[in-house]
Amino acid sequence: MIDLILLAAGPARLEEEALLAPGQGGKPLYRHVFEAARQTADAMLGLRVLVVTRPNVLDEAIREFGFNKVVVSGSLNMSQAMIAGAKAARSGASRCFLACGQTEVTGEILTGFLQGYILSGRTLGRVRSGRAQEGPMVFAPYLLPHLLALKGEEDGSALFQGREGRTFFYEADRRGAEEAEDSGAAHRE
C-alpha cells in the first residue's frame, strides 16, 4: 500500500503564486504533477493521493482530481510539509513524496517507478536520470520515525545514504521521456 504525497506547500518554489503561474504548455505548474498523479492513481488500485497545501489553495483542483487535502498553516519549510504529509498517510503505507514543481515527472514515469518499487521488495525508492537523483522518493512504513525527525529544508535524501543495497532505483530520462532507460524496464541496484 502506497500513499502518494504531493507537496504544494513549503519552500518558496511551492508557494501559491509559483504553483499557479503558467509553465510548460501554458498549464499552471501544479497541473503537471496533478495529471501525473491522477494517471498513476488510475493505473494502480489502492493508491491514495494526498496534497499538502495551505488553506484555500488549490481547493478546486484537488476536488477536480479527486485527491485528499492536508491543510498546513503558517510559514513552512520542506521538512514541515513532508512531516504533515507523512502524518496524514495511512498507517502501514509506504510514503511517496513528490513536489508539485517537478514537471519532468510524467504519469508513465511515476507509475513505472511505483510499480517497480512494489515489485522490488526494497525499503526505499528513488527516480534517477543518469547520476542525478531527483523526483519522487518513496519510504517504507518503518522509516516513519526518521521522516518525522526531519528538520529545516531536509527532504529525506539523507535516508538513502548507506542504504543503497535496500534502494530501488528507477532510471528515467531527464528530458521527460515516457520510457525508462533499459528498454522501458525498471531495474534494481
XYZ file of all heavy atoms in Angstrom, residues 40-126:
637
model
N -1.396 7.901 -12.505
C -0.841 6.814 -11.703
C -1.906 6.211 -10.796
O -2.002 4.987 -10.670
C 0.357 7.328 -10.879
O 1.342 7.822 -11.797
C 0.971 6.233 -10.032
N -2.721 7.046 -10.172
C -3.791 6.536 -9.308
C -4.789 5.705 -10.109
O -5.302 4.699 -9.608
C -4.498 7.694 -8.607
N -5.056 6.097 -11.347
C -5.961 5.321 -12.194
C -5.358 3.964 -12.562
O -6.081 2.985 -12.748
C -6.301 6.095 -13.473
C -7.210 7.290 -13.208
O -7.793 7.384 -12.107
O -7.317 8.146 -14.110
N -4.040 3.897 -12.655
C -3.358 2.667 -13.051
C -3.079 1.728 -11.879
O -2.860 0.537 -12.079
C -2.041 3.007 -13.759
N -3.067 2.265 -10.666
C -2.668 1.473 -9.501
C -3.789 1.423 -8.470
O -4.016 2.400 -7.746
C -1.403 2.060 -8.868
C -0.196 1.976 -9.771
S 1.288 2.631 -8.988
C 1.522 1.450 -7.661
N -4.439 0.312 -8.378
C -5.518 0.110 -7.423
C -5.008 0.340 -6.002
O -3.957 -0.165 -5.622
C -6.058 -1.322 -7.555
C -7.277 -1.668 -6.740
C -8.462 -0.796 -7.168
C -7.624 -3.135 -6.910
N -5.728 1.126 -5.237
C -5.382 1.341 -3.838
C -4.446 2.503 -3.572
O -4.187 2.826 -2.409
N -3.922 3.142 -4.621
C -3.040 4.290 -4.412
C -3.891 5.470 -3.949
O -4.894 5.811 -4.563
C -2.304 4.663 -5.702
C -1.337 5.838 -5.579
C -0.091 5.420 -4.812
C -0.948 6.351 -6.954
N -3.499 6.076 -2.863
C -4.192 7.237 -2.323
C -3.303 8.450 -2.526
O -2.105 8.389 -2.276
C -4.459 7.011 -0.838
C -5.209 8.114 -0.176
C -5.573 7.686 1.253
N -5.867 8.859 2.032
C -5.481 9.045 3.274
N -4.797 8.122 3.897
N -5.788 10.141 3.909
N -3.902 9.561 -2.981
C -3.136 10.784 -3.245
C -3.543 11.858 -2.247
O -4.722 12.182 -2.103
C -3.352 11.293 -4.690
C -2.516 12.543 -4.943
C -3.013 10.205 -5.702
N -2.539 12.403 -1.570
C -2.720 13.494 -0.612
C -1.995 14.725 -1.149
O -0.908 14.596 -1.724
C -2.111 13.128 0.744
C -2.600 11.843 1.388
C -1.620 11.372 2.443
C -3.950 12.068 2.008
N -2.565 15.895 -0.944
C -1.921 17.140 -1.355
C -1.719 17.998 -0.112
O -2.678 18.380 0.549
C -2.764 17.921 -2.388
C -2.058 19.204 -2.802
C -3.068 17.051 -3.602
N -0.459 18.286 0.206
C -0.138 19.151 1.336
C -0.114 20.580 0.810
O 0.693 20.925 -0.056
C 1.237 18.788 1.951
C 1.584 19.749 3.088
C 1.252 17.348 2.437
N -1.031 21.404 1.328
C -1.130 22.786 0.862
C -1.731 23.663 1.956
O -2.173 23.176 2.987
C -1.953 22.864 -0.448
O -1.843 24.172 -0.999
C -3.400 22.487 -0.244
N -1.746 24.937 1.703
C -2.269 25.917 2.656
C -3.792 26.024 2.541
O -4.363 25.596 1.544
C -1.631 27.268 2.392
C -0.127 27.233 2.567
C 0.476 28.617 2.397
N 1.919 28.569 2.373
C 2.695 28.294 3.413
N 2.173 28.046 4.569
N 4.006 28.266 3.297
N -4.429 26.637 3.539
C -5.885 26.826 3.478
C -6.281 27.609 2.213
O -5.605 28.558 1.824
C -6.196 27.647 4.743
C -5.044 27.403 5.660
C -3.855 27.176 4.779
N -7.331 27.161 1.575
C -7.908 27.831 0.401
C -6.986 27.881 -0.817
O -7.176 28.708 -1.697
C -8.367 29.248 0.754
C -9.328 29.241 1.910
O -10.264 28.441 1.953
N -9.090 30.100 2.884
N -5.982 27.027 -0.878
C -5.086 26.966 -2.030
C -5.316 25.641 -2.751
O -5.266 24.584 -2.137
C -3.599 27.109 -1.620
C -2.676 26.952 -2.816
C -3.373 28.453 -0.935
N -5.603 25.694 -4.016
C -5.806 24.544 -4.899
C -7.041 23.720 -4.548
O -7.169 22.580 -4.987
C -4.562 23.647 -4.946
C -3.274 24.279 -5.454
C -2.122 23.275 -5.350
C -3.424 24.759 -6.885
N -7.957 24.280 -3.775
C -9.151 23.529 -3.361
C -9.919 22.964 -4.554
O -10.279 21.784 -4.581
C -10.087 24.400 -2.524
C -9.542 24.689 -1.137
O -8.581 24.013 -0.717
O -10.086 25.598 -0.480
N -10.196 23.805 -5.539
C -10.971 23.362 -6.699
C -10.247 22.265 -7.471
O -10.847 21.255 -7.857
C -11.255 24.554 -7.622
C -12.194 24.212 -8.758
C -12.521 25.436 -9.598
O -12.777 26.512 -9.025
O -12.514 25.292 -10.837
N -8.938 22.425 -7.669
C -8.168 21.416 -8.400
C -8.102 20.096 -7.633
O -8.195 19.023 -8.231
C -6.753 21.939 -8.668
N -7.970 20.168 -6.330
C -7.915 18.951 -5.514
C -9.232 18.192 -5.628
O -9.242 16.966 -5.791
C -7.564 19.297 -4.048
C -6.111 19.788 -3.984
C -7.781 18.096 -3.126
C -5.720 20.422 -2.655
N -10.352 18.906 -5.601
C -11.668 18.260 -5.784
C -11.786 17.694 -7.204
O -12.249 16.570 -7.392
C -12.790 19.266 -5.535
C -13.140 19.427 -4.081
C -14.428 20.222 -3.884
N -14.356 21.575 -4.421
C -13.827 22.616 -3.797
N -13.317 22.460 -2.602
N -13.826 23.810 -4.355
N -11.373 18.470 -8.204
C -11.459 18.030 -9.607
C -10.716 16.714 -9.825
O -11.201 15.827 -10.518
C -10.870 19.109 -10.526
C -10.760 18.695 -11.976
C -9.925 19.672 -12.812
O -9.680 20.811 -12.379
O -9.506 19.254 -13.920
N -9.544 16.583 -9.230
C -8.726 15.388 -9.426
C -9.079 14.261 -8.457
O -8.590 13.146 -8.599
C -7.243 15.742 -9.311
C -6.683 16.395 -10.541
C -6.776 17.766 -10.718
C -6.088 15.643 -11.536
C -6.269 18.375 -11.857
C -5.576 16.235 -12.679
C -5.669 17.610 -12.843
N -9.923 14.542 -7.460
C -10.332 13.514 -6.515
C -9.270 13.172 -5.488
O -9.222 12.045 -4.983
N -8.424 14.137 -5.148
C -7.356 13.916 -4.176
C -7.832 14.304 -2.778
O -8.903 14.869 -2.601
C -6.116 14.732 -4.539
C -5.494 14.379 -5.881
C -4.700 15.302 -6.540
C -5.700 13.148 -6.482
C -4.112 14.998 -7.763
C -5.120 12.832 -7.711
C -4.315 13.766 -8.345
N -7.021 14.005 -1.782
C -7.280 14.361 -0.391
C -6.377 15.526 -0.008
O -5.192 15.529 -0.352
C -6.972 13.168 0.523
C -7.836 11.982 0.191
O -9.001 11.952 0.530
N -7.270 11.005 -0.499
N -6.921 16.483 0.726
C -6.162 17.679 1.096
C -5.653 17.572 2.523
O -6.382 17.163 3.429
C -7.032 18.921 0.942
C -6.292 20.208 1.206
C -7.122 21.421 0.844
C -6.304 22.690 1.061
N -7.001 23.883 0.598
N -4.399 17.962 2.711
C -3.785 18.081 4.026
C -3.473 19.566 4.194
O -2.623 20.106 3.485
C -2.491 17.239 4.140
C -1.858 17.420 5.507
C -2.771 15.770 3.842
N -4.166 20.218 5.107
C -4.027 21.663 5.278
C -2.934 21.974 6.298
O -2.917 21.403 7.392
C -5.357 22.290 5.739
C -5.214 23.789 5.958
C -6.458 22.003 4.731
N -2.027 22.865 5.907
C -0.976 23.352 6.793
C -1.050 24.875 6.791
O -1.435 25.483 5.807
C 0.417 22.859 6.349
C 0.547 21.367 6.540
C 0.706 23.241 4.909
N -0.672 25.471 7.889
C -0.737 26.925 8.010
C 0.627 27.488 8.363
O 1.517 26.768 8.802
C -1.736 27.326 9.104
O -3.014 26.872 8.766
N 0.748 28.792 8.185
C 1.961 29.485 8.591
C 3.111 29.289 7.627
O 2.984 28.702 6.559
N 4.239 29.795 8.035
C 5.459 29.703 7.230
C 6.030 28.294 7.385
O 6.245 27.812 8.497
C 6.464 30.736 7.719
O 7.639 30.638 6.981
N 6.252 27.643 6.261
C 6.727 26.256 6.284
C 8.044 26.103 5.553
O 8.336 26.832 4.620
C 5.729 25.340 5.575
C 4.372 25.137 6.187
C 3.533 24.241 5.303
C 4.506 24.503 7.551
N 8.786 25.103 5.952
C 9.938 24.685 5.167
C 9.647 23.276 4.641
O 8.579 22.727 4.891
C 11.227 24.752 5.999
C 11.133 23.953 7.293
O 10.511 22.894 7.338
N 11.739 24.456 8.346
N 10.573 22.718 3.907
C 10.358 21.417 3.265
C 10.042 20.327 4.283
O 9.109 19.547 4.103
C 11.571 21.023 2.430
C 11.423 19.683 1.737
S 10.028 19.601 0.597
C 10.735 20.381 -0.830
N 10.814 20.253 5.361
C 10.594 19.170 6.326
C 9.217 19.269 6.978
O 8.561 18.251 7.187
C 11.696 19.161 7.391
O 11.655 20.336 8.173
N 8.747 20.466 7.281
C 7.425 20.609 7.901
C 6.318 20.140 6.963
O 5.364 19.503 7.397
C 7.195 22.065 8.313
C 8.072 22.483 9.478
C 8.055 23.988 9.694
O 7.988 24.769 8.754
N 8.118 24.384 10.958
N 6.448 20.447 5.671
C 5.461 19.979 4.693
C 5.491 18.454 4.588
O 4.443 17.799 4.538
C 5.714 20.624 3.334
N 6.694 17.882 4.566
C 6.813 16.421 4.480
C 6.258 15.741 5.735
O 5.591 14.715 5.650
C 8.260 16.015 4.237
C 8.736 16.358 2.831
S 10.405 15.789 2.487
C 10.168 14.014 2.440
N 6.528 16.313 6.892
C 6.034 15.738 8.142
C 4.501 15.756 8.152
O 3.867 14.767 8.548
C 6.626 16.483 9.358
C 8.116 16.135 9.482
C 5.871 16.152 10.641
C 8.890 17.013 10.466
N 3.898 16.855 7.704
C 2.433 16.927 7.660
C 1.874 15.828 6.756
O 0.897 15.162 7.104
C 1.984 18.303 7.167
N 2.490 15.625 5.601
C 2.049 14.565 4.696
C 2.274 13.183 5.277
O 1.413 12.299 5.169
N 3.425 12.983 5.898
C 3.744 11.679 6.493
C 2.748 11.322 7.592
O 2.305 10.179 7.700
C 5.172 11.685 7.041
N 2.369 12.297 8.396
C 1.402 12.058 9.478
C 0.009 11.749 8.932
O -0.737 10.986 9.526
C 1.330 13.271 10.402
C 2.523 13.424 11.304
C 2.348 14.650 12.193
C 3.480 14.792 13.191
N 3.307 16.014 14.025
N -0.350 12.364 7.811
C -1.693 12.174 7.239
C -1.835 10.865 6.460
O -2.951 10.432 6.183
C -2.033 13.347 6.320
N -0.730 10.237 6.131
C -0.772 8.981 5.370
C -1.365 7.869 6.226
O -1.386 7.934 7.460
C 0.628 8.605 4.908
N -1.842 6.839 5.545
C -2.420 5.693 6.240
C -1.355 4.938 7.028
O -0.214 4.815 6.573
C -3.068 4.734 5.233
C -4.269 5.327 4.522
C -4.772 4.428 3.435
N -3.825 4.436 2.309
C -4.032 3.819 1.163
N -5.129 3.106 0.978
N -3.144 3.889 0.198
N -1.746 4.414 8.147
C -0.852 3.588 8.946
C -0.462 2.364 8.119
O -1.312 1.735 7.494
C -1.571 3.155 10.223
O -0.753 2.294 10.971
N 0.802 2.049 8.090
C 1.267 0.891 7.343
C 1.520 1.144 5.868
O 1.910 0.233 5.145
N 1.321 2.380 5.413
C 1.548 2.701 4.000
C 2.979 3.178 3.779
O 3.538 3.876 4.625
C 0.581 3.784 3.527
N 3.541 2.801 2.643
C 4.775 3.453 2.205
C 4.389 4.861 1.799
O 3.276 5.106 1.328
C 5.393 2.714 1.019
O 5.890 1.458 1.416
N 5.307 5.804 1.967
C 5.024 7.200 1.663
C 5.911 7.662 0.519
O 7.122 7.654 0.636
C 5.252 8.058 2.908
C 4.189 7.830 3.976
C 4.723 8.042 5.375
N 3.670 8.007 6.373
C 3.224 6.894 6.952
N 3.730 5.729 6.612
N 2.268 6.945 7.850
N 5.260 8.080 -0.564
C 5.976 8.589 -1.734
C 5.748 10.093 -1.798
O 4.609 10.556 -1.821
C 5.471 7.933 -3.016
S 6.291 8.555 -4.500
N 6.823 10.862 -1.823
C 6.746 12.324 -1.862
C 7.141 12.835 -3.237
O 8.125 12.375 -3.826
C 7.689 12.933 -0.819
C 7.288 12.617 0.588
C 7.809 11.510 1.239
C 6.387 13.425 1.266
C 7.441 11.212 2.546
C 6.011 13.127 2.577
C 6.534 12.022 3.212
N 6.369 13.807 -3.716
C 6.650 14.446 -4.998
C 6.271 15.913 -4.892
O 5.120 16.240 -4.584
C 5.855 13.769 -6.121
C 5.987 14.358 -7.522
C 7.434 14.345 -8.003
C 5.082 13.610 -8.493
N 7.240 16.800 -5.121
C 6.978 18.238 -5.079
C 6.251 18.663 -6.345
O 6.562 18.189 -7.443
C 8.286 19.009 -4.930
N 5.285 19.541 -6.200
C 4.460 19.960 -7.334
C 5.232 20.746 -8.393
O 4.709 20.977 -9.466
C 3.261 20.764 -6.847
S 1.979 19.703 -6.164
N 6.447 21.134 -8.131
C 7.239 21.850 -9.125
C 8.037 20.952 -10.052
O 8.747 21.438 -10.923
N 7.930 19.648 -9.919
C 8.747 18.723 -10.704
C 8.003 18.299 -11.966
O 7.466 17.199 -12.066
C 9.164 17.529 -9.846
C 10.044 17.979 -8.709
C 10.464 16.859 -7.794
O 9.687 15.984 -7.473
N 11.711 16.900 -7.368
N 8.022 19.187 -12.952
C 7.251 18.977 -14.178
C 7.824 17.896 -15.083
O 7.142 17.442 -15.995
C 7.140 20.290 -14.974
O 8.453 20.746 -15.298
C 6.402 21.352 -14.173
N 9.045 17.450 -14.835
C 9.636 16.407 -15.675
C 9.070 15.023 -15.365
O 9.276 14.074 -16.117
C 11.164 16.398 -15.545
C 11.682 15.926 -14.199
C 11.678 16.990 -13.100
O 11.285 18.139 -13.352
O 12.061 16.651 -11.972
N 8.348 14.900 -14.269
C 7.768 13.611 -13.874
C 6.422 13.433 -14.569
O 5.477 14.165 -14.314
C 7.608 13.521 -12.340
C 6.954 12.199 -11.959
C 8.956 13.669 -11.659
N 6.363 12.460 -15.454
C 5.121 12.157 -16.172
C 4.374 11.031 -15.460
O 4.920 10.369 -14.568
C 5.430 11.696 -17.611
O 6.145 10.450 -17.538
C 6.237 12.730 -18.384
N 3.148 10.806 -15.869
C 2.381 9.694 -15.318
C 3.044 8.362 -15.598
O 3.027 7.460 -14.749
N 3.647 8.228 -16.764
C 4.323 6.970 -17.108
C 5.526 6.729 -16.205
O 5.751 5.612 -15.730
C 4.766 6.973 -18.571
C 3.619 6.913 -19.554
C 2.976 8.280 -19.831
O 3.496 9.317 -19.358
O 1.948 8.303 -20.516
N 6.297 7.778 -15.953
C 7.465 7.639 -15.077
C 7.012 7.315 -13.663
O 7.527 6.389 -13.028
C 8.331 8.923 -15.106
C 9.034 9.048 -16.461
C 9.346 8.923 -13.970
C 9.751 10.374 -16.667
N 6.043 8.045 -13.149
C 5.577 7.838 -11.781
C 4.974 6.448 -11.597
O 5.273 5.747 -10.626
C 4.562 8.927 -11.409
C 4.095 8.975 -9.967
C 5.269 9.128 -9.002
C 3.097 10.118 -9.786
N 4.159 6.008 -12.552
C 3.553 4.676 -12.469
C 4.629 3.594 -12.532
O 4.629 2.655 -11.721
C 2.528 4.478 -13.596
O 1.527 5.496 -13.492
C 1.875 3.109 -13.521
N 5.541 3.695 -13.481
C 6.623 2.720 -13.608
C 7.474 2.649 -12.351
O 7.856 1.565 -11.891
N 7.755 3.816 -11.785
C 8.552 3.887 -10.564
C 7.846 3.177 -9.402
O 8.426 2.314 -8.749
C 8.829 5.350 -10.220
C 9.358 5.573 -8.832
C 10.534 4.976 -8.406
C 8.685 6.404 -7.943
C 11.026 5.192 -7.128
C 9.165 6.627 -6.665
C 10.340 6.013 -6.255
N 6.587 3.499 -9.159
C 5.887 2.913 -8.017
C 5.617 1.427 -8.209
O 5.732 0.640 -7.261
C 4.592 3.682 -7.735
C 4.801 5.098 -7.195
C 3.473 5.806 -6.993
C 5.613 5.084 -5.911
N 5.282 1.014 -9.423
C 5.098 -0.415 -9.673
C 6.416 -1.165 -9.488
O 6.440 -2.248 -8.899
C 4.523 -0.638 -11.062
C 3.077 -0.213 -11.178
C 2.528 -0.304 -12.590
O 3.251 -0.326 -13.577
N 1.199 -0.347 -12.684
N 7.497 -0.591 -9.976
C 8.812 -1.210 -9.805
C 9.219 -1.302 -8.346
O 9.787 -2.303 -7.897
N 8.923 -0.256 -7.595
C 9.222 -0.246 -6.155
C 8.504 -1.397 -5.462
O 9.096 -2.138 -4.675
C 8.827 1.101 -5.541
C 8.825 1.107 -4.036
C 10.016 1.156 -3.315
C 7.626 1.054 -3.326
C 10.018 1.158 -1.927
C 7.616 1.061 -1.941
C 8.807 1.108 -1.245
O 8.804 1.098 0.124
N 7.226 -1.542 -5.745
C 6.445 -2.622 -5.122
C 7.047 -3.982 -5.464
O 7.260 -4.825 -4.589
C 4.970 -2.547 -5.567
C 4.297 -1.309 -4.967
C 4.216 -3.813 -5.162
C 2.951 -0.976 -5.574
N 7.334 -4.209 -6.726
C 7.876 -5.496 -7.165
C 9.275 -5.763 -6.620
O 9.672 -6.915 -6.449
C 7.882 -5.571 -8.690
C 6.500 -5.614 -9.348
C 6.630 -5.513 -10.866
C 5.753 -6.873 -8.941
N 10.033 -4.708 -6.355
C 11.417 -4.875 -5.896
C 11.502 -5.419 -4.475
O 12.489 -6.050 -4.112
C 12.164 -3.537 -5.963
O 11.791 -2.681 -4.883
N 10.493 -5.126 -3.648
C 10.554 -5.550 -2.258
C 11.534 -4.746 -1.423
O 11.809 -5.091 -0.274
N 12.045 -3.675 -1.979
C 13.028 -2.856 -1.262
C 12.332 -1.845 -0.356
O 11.139 -1.594 -0.491
C 13.937 -2.164 -2.262
C 14.615 -3.207 -3.172
C 16.029 -3.001 -3.299
N 16.626 -4.116 -4.045
C 17.832 -4.069 -4.507
N 18.558 -2.992 -4.334
N 18.334 -5.104 -5.136
N 13.095 -1.257 0.559
C 12.505 -0.360 1.552
C 12.499 1.106 1.130
O 11.756 1.902 1.708
C 13.246 -0.481 2.896
O 14.620 -0.192 2.689
C 13.095 -1.879 3.459
N 13.323 1.464 0.165
C 13.413 2.829 -0.331
C 13.315 2.813 -1.843
O 13.680 1.818 -2.481
C 14.745 3.474 0.067
C 14.957 3.734 1.555
C 16.438 3.832 1.867
C 14.254 5.008 1.957
N 12.873 3.917 -2.414
C 12.829 4.024 -3.867
C 13.133 5.432 -4.295
O 12.780 6.401 -3.614
N 13.811 5.530 -5.444
C 14.231 6.840 -5.943
C 14.252 6.818 -7.461
O 14.669 5.838 -8.073
C 15.643 7.125 -5.424
C 16.135 8.519 -5.614
C 16.179 9.196 -4.277
N 16.251 10.625 -4.446
C 17.146 11.390 -3.877
N 18.068 10.872 -3.102
N 17.121 12.680 -4.050
